[in-house]
């Protein structure tokens, strides 16, 4: 009997608790809004900085609270995809040039044109930032910065090998890297990227060799409409590029992805590394390479003295399913303006989105000088847009990576590789 | 007379001799009682239905549709289109071959070494508990973490394995383990063997505890050597456990992409992909339709294999009986 009473009591208690929790609704006060924000390219330092900026935003907007979700970088885009597909749990999200295409095609992103109509911050954005934000006529995201490539190099290795300065073009890179290479001493010329996204550097070399004829609105196309892989110069570019692997790189770099390349440079064993500016912070923390032993140089040019700079970007967008679009836009505007934007780009070693921000002292010293040099010489360092928003971009990356590795292990010739890439893109464009 | 026949003959006599009272106490089946039983079963049935069968069916139907996350505006039914894509892929043959190699080359050393460790741990000696804990420890580590550790150990320039081989004077220059298809496959299998030995050691040790000491004592009295006792007492006594453990492990290794994914990502040039790492690859590309089709294919392969394996096992038992 007692047992039954106890059980009945527990049952009633649980029912009451469930009923009350169901009736209580949101804990938010009247008019208060909680925004769910999810980032993609996460790292602890970046998340901490973002949280600081969010705290400033919350202090200015007492009725808005922001909950930041930071999934591990490798799974972040998949996580975001799942959240968007579920249609809830996300208001503001990090949109990348790689994800904007599929996300907007599926109707998951809000066209922010209305929310950003009359936004005072438009005038402060650089032309590049404005172009990206309004690329397709709609505004699916406001970029927070740009990732550009430069050549990280060991000043001491270059000097010891008898050269006056860093290489300016791909052939000079091969020459210097070959001179530096000394496997017995565990010293290698170039941190070759043969693993994940390894194809990107092969495309950089090809782009530099066809720079005179490249279509800057689609860096995979020539101005005559053919793919860049069909040009005879592409063959010359790959000859130099794959020689870098054969003559001046660690043999195991067939499998090197981002971590191994950066490790290869920061542990002092390789002389050259092509990477984004975010690596500057990693090299500065290196114990094996001191500040005087390294620097960056502008992108490598092709035979015509030009290089193509494919700017990669990401930014903040609003989920179509969000019920707080106005508040979400307010947050994005805050992050894209003034001190918050500058703090974010400097803190993450990004090329800024605000006019004049690149004139700051921060971008004029040390490793940033090369970016300044590239900015000041736009005729030689041409900014071009790669078709990264294409629905098949990930599929392409996998195919291209596998085929670069096939060349490295002798299963494919560079000619066959170029023919395959040309056929792939020609077919894709024809099916559009 | 076989053991089975004895059991069958004994059953009727037991039933006949059973007291009548329990049968009388058995309550009659009524509709009300049926509902009560159903009500008790319902939560479990709903749970399994919602969390097991619904996702399985929902996932399986993707295999017959054009389900690509890059464009969900057209998810039309395409019949066996995704299966055709898999079979037409030039990498499929290599990947299937790799999967067989991955399973066979991993399971044989895992079994042999695991068996040896289990035999060793069965003996009583000082600090046996500590040794057992140390040997079982790898099983508690995530496969991805093991993959990352081995990836750096096998690194051609900075890896500890090349360093040790150089110091021993066995090689002069570092071997690019993960850069060549054959050595990369070897490296991932070594990592998997290291990881899986523990599983066999645990399972076989548990099975060995069930072998009665009297059998060994009788064997010793008859003057049987240790090898003879192993092959004529130990192995026959635990053969069912061994067979089921091997089957279980084959299924697990077949479905175990963690180490390969972390060590090589299926490279170089797709040469270390097994079916499940390839499936991850396809999922990351957003082609859930093709990935689901591959998943169904894996289920079919494993079902057919398990059926043949169990049939062969039953056949062998009947012969020995």
């Amino acid at each position: 009997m007692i047992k039954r009473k106890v059980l009945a009591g527990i049952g009633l208690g649980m029912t009451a608790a469930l009923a009350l929790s169901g009736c209580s609704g949101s804990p938010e006060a009247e008019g208060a809004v909680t925004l769910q924000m999810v980032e993609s390219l996460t790292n602890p330092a970046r998340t901490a900085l973002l949280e600081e900026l969010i705290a400033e935003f919350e202090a200015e907007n007492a009725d808005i609270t922001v909950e930041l979700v930071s999934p591990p970088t490798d799974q972040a885009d998949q996580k975001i995809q799942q959240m968007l597909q579920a249609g809830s749990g996300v208001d503001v999200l990090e949109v990348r040039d790689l994800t904007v295409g599929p996300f907007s095609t599926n109707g998951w992103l809000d066209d922010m044109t209305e929310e950003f109509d009359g936004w005072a911050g438009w005038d402060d954005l650089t032309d590049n930032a404005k172009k990206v934000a309004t690329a397709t006529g709609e505004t699916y995201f406001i970029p927070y910065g740009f990732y550009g490539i430069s050549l990280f190099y060991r000043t001491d290795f270059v000097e010891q090998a008898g050269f006056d300065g860093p290489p300016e073009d791909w052939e000079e890179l091969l020459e210097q890297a070959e001179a530096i290479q000394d496997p017995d001493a565990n010293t290698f010329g170039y941190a070759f990227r043969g693993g994940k996204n390894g194809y990107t550097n092969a495309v950089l070399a090809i782009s530099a060799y066809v720079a005179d004829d490249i279509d800057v609105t689609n860096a995979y196309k020539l101005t005559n409409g053919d793919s860049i892989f069909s040009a005879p110069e592409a063959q010359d570019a790959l000859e130099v590029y794959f020689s870098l692997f054969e003559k001046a790189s660690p043999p195991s770099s067939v499998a090197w992805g981002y971590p191994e390349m950066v490790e290869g440079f920061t542990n002092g064993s390789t002389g050259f590394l092509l990477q984004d500016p975010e690596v500057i912070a990693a090299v500065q923390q290196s114990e094996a390479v001191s500040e005087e032993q390294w620097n960056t140089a502008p992108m490598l040019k092709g035979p015509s003295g030009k290089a193509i700079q494919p700017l990669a970007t990401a930014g903040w967008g609003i989920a179509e399913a969000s019920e707080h679009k106005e508040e979400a836009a307010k947050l994005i505007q805050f992050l894209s303006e003034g001190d918050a934007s500058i703090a974010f780009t400097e803190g993450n070693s990004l090329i800024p989105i605000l006019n004049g921000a690149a004139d700051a002292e921060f971008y004029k010293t040390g490793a940033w000088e090369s970016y300044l040099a590239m900015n000041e010489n736009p005729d030689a360092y041409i900014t071009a847009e790669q078709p990264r928003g294409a629905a098949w971009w990930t599929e392409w990356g996998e195919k291209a990576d596998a085929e670069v590795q096939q060349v490295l292990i002798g299963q494919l010739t560079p000619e066959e590789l170029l023919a395959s890439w040309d056929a792939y893109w020609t077919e894709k464009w024809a099916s559009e | 007379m076989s053991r089975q026949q004895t059991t069958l003959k004994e059953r009727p006599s037991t039933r006949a001799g059973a007291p009548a009272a329990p049968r009388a106490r058995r309550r009659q089946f009524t509709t009300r009682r049926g509902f009560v039983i159903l009500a008790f079963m319902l939560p479990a049935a709903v749970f399994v239905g919602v969390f097991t069968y619904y996702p399985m069916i929902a996932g399986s139907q993707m295999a017959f549709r054009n389900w690509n996350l890059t464009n969900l505006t057209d998810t039309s039914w395409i019949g066996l289109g995704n299966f055709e894509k898999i079979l037409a892929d030039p990498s499929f043959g290599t990947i299937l071959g790799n999967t067989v190699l991955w399973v066979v080359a991993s399971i044989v050393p895992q079994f042999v070494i695991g068996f040896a460790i289990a035999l060793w741990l069965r003996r009583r000696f000082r600090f046996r508990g500590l040794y057992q804990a140390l040997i079982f420890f790898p099983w508690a580590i995530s496969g991805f973490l093991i993959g990352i550790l081995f990836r750096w150990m096998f690194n051609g320039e900075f890896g500890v394995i090349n360093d040790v081989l150089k110091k021993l004077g066995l090689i002069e220059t570092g071997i690019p383990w993960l850069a060549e298809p054959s050595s990369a496959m070897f490296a991932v299998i070594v990592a998997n063997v290291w990881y899986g030995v523990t599983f066999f050691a645990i399972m076989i040790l548990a099975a060995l505890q069930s072998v009665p000491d009297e059998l060994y004592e009788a064997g010793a009295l008859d003057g049987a050597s240790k090898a003879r006792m192993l092959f004529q007492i130990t192995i026959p006594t635990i053969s069912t456990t061994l067979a089921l453990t091997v089957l279980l492990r084959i299924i697990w290794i077949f479905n175990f992409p963690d180490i390969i994914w972390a060590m090589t990502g299926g490279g170089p040039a797709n040469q270390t992909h097994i079916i499940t790492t390839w499936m991850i690859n396809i999922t990351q590309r957003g082609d859930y339709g093709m990935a689901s089709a591959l998943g169904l294919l894996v289920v079919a392969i494993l079902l057919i294999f398990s059926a043949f394996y169990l049939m062969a096992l039953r056949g062998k038992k009947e012969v020995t009986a």
Side-chain angles (χ1 to χ4, degrees):
Chain A
M1 189 67 181
I2 291 169
K3 246 186 197 172
R4 195 180 288 177
K5 275 184 181 172
V6 171
L7 281 173
I10 292 170
L12 272 172
M14 283 176 71
T15 314
L18 281 171
L20 285 172
S21 66
C23 296
S24 62
S26 159
E28 289 164 9
E30 187 77 17
V33 165
T34 300
L35 291 177
Q36 300 284 340
M37 179 179 189
V38 52
E39 56 171 338
S40 167
L41 298 163
T42 56
N43 70 54
R46 191 183 108 134
T47 302
L49 174 59
L50 201 52
E51 276 168 351
E52 272 175 39
L53 298 175
I54 287 171
E56 280 175 33
F57 172 77
E58 286 173 335
E60 282 179 22
N61 299 273
D63 53 345
I64 305 176
T65 309
V66 182
E67 283 178 3
L68 181 66
V69 181
S70 309
T73 314
D74 287 352
Q75 304 147 23
D77 284 332
Q78 272 193 324
K79 176 95 182 159
I80 292 173
Q81 225 164 28
Q82 285 162 1
M83 291 169 105
L84 291 171
Q85 206 174 3
S88 63
V90 55
D91 298 292
V92 178
L93 66 143
E94 186 167 351
V95 183
R96 301 170 63 187
D97 49 8
L98 301 174
T99 54
V100 66
F103 286 4
S104 58
T105 305
N106 292 333
W108 293 336
L109 294 180
D110 173 45
D111 174 7
M112 306 190 295
T113 309
E114 202 184 306
E115 286 86 1
F116 278 73
D117 186 28
W119 175 46
W122 280 119
D123 295 337
D124 297 329
L125 292 185
T126 60
D127 288 344
N128 265 341
K130 262 188 251 178
K131 209 167 98 184
V132 168
T134 55
T136 50
E138 293 93 4
T139 299
Y140 288 119
F141 73 106
I142 303 291
Y144 55 60
F146 292 94
Y147 298 89
I149 302 279
S150 67
L151 181 72
F152 289 70
Y153 72 100
R154 285 286 296 269
T155 47
D156 52 344
F157 284 4
V158 169
E159 200 184 319
Q160 282 158 22
F163 298 97
D164 295 335
E168 287 195 6
D169 59 40
W170 284 92
E171 288 199 20
E172 280 181 26
L173 172 67
L174 176 60
E175 190 190 347
Q176 293 198 10
E178 221 179 323
I180 289 169
Q181 175 97 341
D182 182 5
D184 292 338
N186 225 17
T187 302
F188 302 92
Y190 176 65
F192 194 90
R193 187 171 199 161
K196 192 156 174 64
N197 290 327
Y199 78 95
T200 54
N201 287 351
V203 173
L204 275 184
I206 295 169
S207 306
Y209 273 68
V210 299
D212 278 337
D213 302 316
I214 213 160
D215 175 356
V216 290
T217 61
N218 182 345
Y220 275 29
K221 261 187 188 170
L222 298 172
T223 44
N224 68 6
D226 292 342
S227 86
I228 57 170
F229 311 114
S230 66
E233 294 88 347
Q235 185 64 49
D236 303 334
L238 286 192
E239 198 177 306
V240 174
Y241 184 69
F242 286 120
S243 296
L244 265 174
F245 172 72
E246 284 163 30
K247 299 175 181 169
S249 302
S252 67
S253 57
V254 171
W256 279 18
Y258 176 87
E260 289 87 357
M261 292 169 78
V262 175
E263 172 66 21
F265 191 79
T266 54
N267 71 12
S269 62
T270 52
F272 296 105
L273 167 75
L274 273 172
Q275 261 302 340
D276 293 334
E278 61 178 5
V279 173
I280 291 175
V283 187
Q284 280 168 342
Q285 285 164 12
S286 164
E287 287 176 11
V289 184
S290 67
E291 208 181 319
E292 310 79 51
Q293 286 179 299
W294 72 281
N295 206 338
T296 65
M299 275 279 296
L300 297 157
K301 295 172 185 165
S304 64
K306 291 175 185 166
I308 297 296
Q309 177 69 283
L311 290 183
T313 188
W316 306 112
I318 302 175
E320 178 60 38
S322 169
E323 289 173 6
H324 308 295
K325 292 194 174 99
E326 200 184 315
E327 291 81 1
K330 226 174 180 178
L331 172 61
I332 296 174
Q333 286 168 2
F334 172 82
L335 292 172
S336 310
E337 290 171 344
D339 291 345
S341 172
I342 291 170
F344 193 77
T345 49
E346 288 188 1
N348 292 295
S349 302
L350 294 166
I351 297 166
I353 55 162
L354 299 184
N355 281 319
D359 299 334
E361 203 53 35
F362 178 84
Y363 290 106
K364 286 181 183 162
T365 49
W368 279 100
E369 277 179 77
S370 60
Y371 292 93
L372 196 71
M374 287 193 275
N375 279 343
E376 285 175 348
N377 197 354
D379 293 332
Y381 300 100
I382 303 160
T383 304
E385 208 178 312
Q386 290 187 337
R388 295 161 70 90
W392 55 84
W393 185 258
T394 320
E395 178 193 85
W396 151 248
E398 280 174 17
K399 171 192 163 67
D401 273 351
E403 289 180 352
V404 164
Q405 284 190 325
Q406 279 182 297
V407 174
L408 298 178
I409 61 175
Q411 290 184 348
L412 205 69
T413 64
E415 293 82 15
E416 287 168 335
L417 175 110
L418 286 171
S420 166
W421 289 8
D422 177 44
Y424 181 86
W425 281 96
T426 306
E427 191 192 317
K428 290 290 184 191
W429 287 326
S431 68
E432 272 183 316
Chain B
M1 187 188 288
S2 78
R3 204 179 293 170
Q4 201 176 7
Q5 282 168 327
T6 315
T7 318
L8 286 173
K9 275 193 172 178
E10 278 170 3
R11 259 186 209 158
S13 64
T14 314
R15 276 185 191 167
R23 205 184 292 172
R25 275 205 301 272
R26 202 170 150 187
R27 286 160 66 184
Q28 214 177 356
F29 185 83
T30 59
T31 316
R32 188 163 173 265
R33 195 165 141 72
F35 276 120
V36 171
I37 292 170
L38 207 65
F40 276 109
M41 281 171 59
L42 203 63
V46 168
F47 188 86
V48 172
V50 170
F51 293 105
T52 306
Y53 287 100
Y54 172 71
M56 265 172 65
I57 294 164
S60 303
Q61 52 102 18
M62 277 187 207
F64 305 96
R65 299 174 75 165
N66 176 33
W67 201 289
N68 198 317
L69 281 193
T70 56
N71 185 359
L72 288 175
T73 54
D74 171 27
T75 55
S76 50
W77 294 91
I78 53 167
L80 297 175
N82 284 319
F83 293 90
E84 283 167 16
K85 253 198 308 192
I86 291 169
L87 297 176
D89 195 294
S91 310
F92 183 64
T94 312
I95 289 167
L96 203 60
N98 281 349
T99 311
V100 174
L101 177 68
W102 164 249
V103 172
V104 174
S106 296
I107 205 149
V108 173
Q110 278 182 7
F111 179 81
V112 173
I113 302 169
F115 203 130
I117 290 174
L119 286 174
W120 176 60
L121 285 177
R122 190 173 183 264
R123 296 162 53 196
R124 289 179 203 286
F125 56 90
R126 236 180 181 200
F127 305 121
R128 186 172 75 152
L130 179 69
Y131 280 108
Q132 279 182 352
L134 285 175
I135 281 167
F136 297 158
F137 177 66
W139 197 244
I141 306 175
S142 135
F144 282 105
L145 184 58
I146 289 168
I148 292 167
L149 290 173
F150 272 88
R151 176 175 161 182
W152 282 108
M153 282 163 65
F154 276 110
N155 185 295
E157 283 72 39
F158 327 118
V160 67
I161 291 173
N162 273 344
D163 195 42
V164 169
L165 293 177
K166 273 186 203 168
K167 281 178 179 154
L168 289 173
L170 295 172
I171 55 169
E172 281 181 10
T173 51
I175 299 169
W177 294 101
L178 303 178
E180 294 288 336
S182 54
S183 55
M185 202 66 208
F186 171 77
V188 294
I189 287 169
V190 166
N192 194 26
V193 168
W194 179 83
Y195 178 57
V197 155
T198 295
F199 172 79
F200 276 110
I202 298 170
M203 298 303 285
I204 297 171
L205 182 62
L208 287 177
Q209 314 285 359
S210 68
V211 183
D213 284 339
E214 291 79 6
L215 293 178
Y216 294 112
E217 285 161 14
L221 281 176
D222 289 344
S225 66
K226 283 196 172 169
R228 194 158 180 198
M229 284 202 265
L230 173 69
F231 287 105
Q232 296 201 319
I233 297 175
T234 311
I235 293 177
T237 314
I238 62 169
S239 62
T240 308
T241 311
L242 291 182
L244 290 175
T245 309
V246 168
L247 174 65
L248 204 63
R249 192 75 192 118
I250 286 173
I251 294 170
W252 279 354
I253 295 178
F254 198 100
N255 281 320
F256 185 56
D258 312 24
I259 286 177
I260 296 183
W261 189 252
M263 280 180 77
T264 65
N270 293 337
Q271 298 298 304
T272 58
H273 262 315
I274 57 168
I275 290 183
T276 42
T277 54
W278 195 38
M279 202 191 302
I280 297 178
N281 210 303
I282 295 168
T283 312
Q284 288 199 332
R285 196 193 296 168
D287 195 344
Y288 279 39
M290 189 173 166
S292 296
L294 202 54
L296 286 185
L297 212 61
V298 169
V299 172
I301 292 172
L302 287 175
L303 273 178
I304 293 168
F305 170 77
S306 302
F308 275 110
Y309 186 89
L310 291 173
M311 270 162 58
L313 198 67
R314 189 181 291 175
K316 200 178 166 200
K317 277 187 98 180
E318 275 167 12
V319 169
T320 49

